[in-house]
Amino acid sequence: MLNRLDFLCLTLLHLLQSAVSVKFEVLGPTDPIVAEAGDDIVLPCYLKPNISAENMTVDWLNLDFIDQHVYRYQNGRIIREDQIPSYRGRTSLFKEELMRGNFSLKLTRLQGSDEGQYKCFIKAQSWYDDITVQVQVKAVGSRPVVSVEGHRDGGMGLLCESEGWHPEPELLWLDSKGVSLSDGRPETHRDLKGFYTVRQQVIVQETDTNRFTCRVLQRHINVEVETEVHVPSE
Ligand SMILES: *[C@@H]1O[C@H](CO)[C@@H](O)[C@H](O)[C@H]1NC(C)=O
Ligand SMILES: *[C@@H]1O[C@H](CO)[C@@H](O)[C@H](O)[C@H]1NC(C)=O
Ligand SMILES: *[C@@H]1O[C@H](CO)[C@@H](O)[C@H](O)[C@H]1NC(C)=O
């Protein structure tokens, strides 16, 4: 059982601990950061109160990666070991801002693979806090390239391809009346930077117009691009 003296001692101890340990709150944006591929962006992250970052560890993490970081700053130094390779040479903090407790991360030349959830984790000797920042990347791909592949399975083979998208787009083959000719999902390929290429072949029969359209669309970013092809009749 605690007597009054014990209680007083515990209270004093607690007060002493609060006084010596640095306490802070980490703040950041509540809305996702939406940007276009190729842009330079800033992921906000700062302390309240705005105390100096000296002797603190700053970890910027991408939650899709375990055991690797986007950026680490510790004891006044940048730690390059275990940095996720795709972020190499593209990340920095604002040096002059560090003494004001501002750990915002600059990320340059945004690419598709940068989309995701980021954690800004700040640790002092006896205290830590973190926030999560969401990043969304938009990239409008190339106008579809259509090639006529020649006679196939009793019709004419047409191939459509479009590259450089984020997020993954849809691809539709349409006849001149706007009726879909696509059979199944297009083939999708994701490159090292996280951009999508879509490709689909159709076999068409001769029609009165012989005009066909390949349309590539991404509803989330409200974009569509298309290419029309006229197949000469025999
Ligand atoms: C940071 O650490 C060094 C060495 O341990 C110490 O001299 C300095 O006062 C510390 N700075 C802060 C702001 O705590
Ligand atoms: C910290 O924040 C206060 C209030 O917002 C501001 O007046 C002060 O200039 C800031 N300190 C530094 C070092 O930026
Ligand atoms: C942190 O630094 C960045 C880059 O200079 C700046 O844009 C941002 O406004 C700063 N945030 C705060 C809270 O001071």
Side-chain angles (χ1 to χ4, degrees):
M1 241 184 44
L2 293 178
N3 61 31
R4 271 180 76 92
L5 191 64
D6 284 341
F7 183 74
L8 195 68
C9 283
L10 278 175
T11 308
L12 273 174
L13 198 65
H14 183 74
L15 278 175
L16 210 61
Q17 263 176 349
S18 315
V20 292
S21 65
V22 192
K23 284 194 181 171
F24 51 79
E25 203 181 333
V26 177
L27 301 177
T30 45
D31 292 334
I33 295 170
V34 182
E36 283 175 30
D39 282 358
D40 293 352
I41 60 168
V42 174
L43 281 63
C45 175
Y46 50 94
L47 299 185
K48 183 186 156 193
N50 52 3
I51 46 178
S52 168
E54 208 190 344
N55 301 348
M56 288 191 192
T57 299
V58 181
D59 253 329
W60 271 102
L61 307 167
N62 177 326
L63 297 182
D64 289 337
F65 294 80
I66 311 164
D67 293 339
Q68 281 184 306
H69 52 257
V70 172
Y71 194 95
R72 174 175 291 170
Y73 176 88
Q74 195 166 34
N75 299 325
R77 289 194 312 123
I78 302 163
I79 310 294
R80 294 187 199 279
E81 291 91 62
D82 298 324
Q83 184 180 33
I84 301 162
S86 65
Y87 292 102
R88 231 167 257 162
R90 295 196 298 127
T91 50
S92 55
L93 299 183
F94 296 90
K95 265 208 191 95
E96 336 71 61
E97 295 286 335
L98 290 178
M99 63 261 238
R100 298 200 278 137
N102 182 349
F103 302 103
S104 301
L105 181 77
K106 182 168 183 189
L107 177 58
T108 59
R109 288 170 277 129
L110 200 64
Q111 55 189 52
S113 57
D114 294 335
E115 176 153 314
Q117 305 249 47
Y118 291 77
K119 189 181 279 273
C120 172
F121 178 90
I122 312 293
K123 188 178 174 301
Q125 256 176 347
S126 55
W127 189 253
Y128 67 85
D129 193 15
D130 62 53
I131 50 137
T132 302
V133 183
Q134 198 174 340
V135 174
Q136 290 172 3
V137 180
K138 303 191 292 185
V140 177
S142 62
R143 182 163 292 283
V145 174
V146 169
S147 35
V148 180
E149 297 198 298
H151 294 281
R152 291 271 158 97
D153 303 330
M156 184 66 81
L158 302 177
L159 179 72
C160 175
E161 182 172 307
S162 173
E163 59 180 20
W165 289 89
H166 200 280
E168 184 180 345
E170 294 168 62
L171 185 157
L172 293 172
W173 267 110
L174 305 167
D175 68 11
S176 59
K177 297 192 183 80
V179 175
S180 173
L181 302 170
S182 297
D183 179 16
R185 287 170 55 79
E187 218 180 287
T188 303
H189 170 75
R190 197 170 188 202
D191 70 15
L192 287 173
K193 293 187 170 182
F195 297 114
Y196 292 93
T197 295
V198 283
R199 180 187 308 150
Q200 190 166 44
Q201 193 205 47
V202 280
I203 311 268
V204 296
Q205 305 300 328
E206 217 168 287
T207 66
D208 2 329
T209 60
N210 268 351
R211 289 184 184 281
F212 303 94
T213 298
C214 175
R215 179 179 298 162
V216 179
L217 65 155
Q218 175 33 266
R219 296 178 205 271
H220 296 306
I221 58 178
N222 203 18
V223 178
E224 65 176 57
V225 290
E226 58 181 41
T227 298
E228 194 191 61
V229 61
H230 178 238
V231 182
S233 65
E234 298 162 72

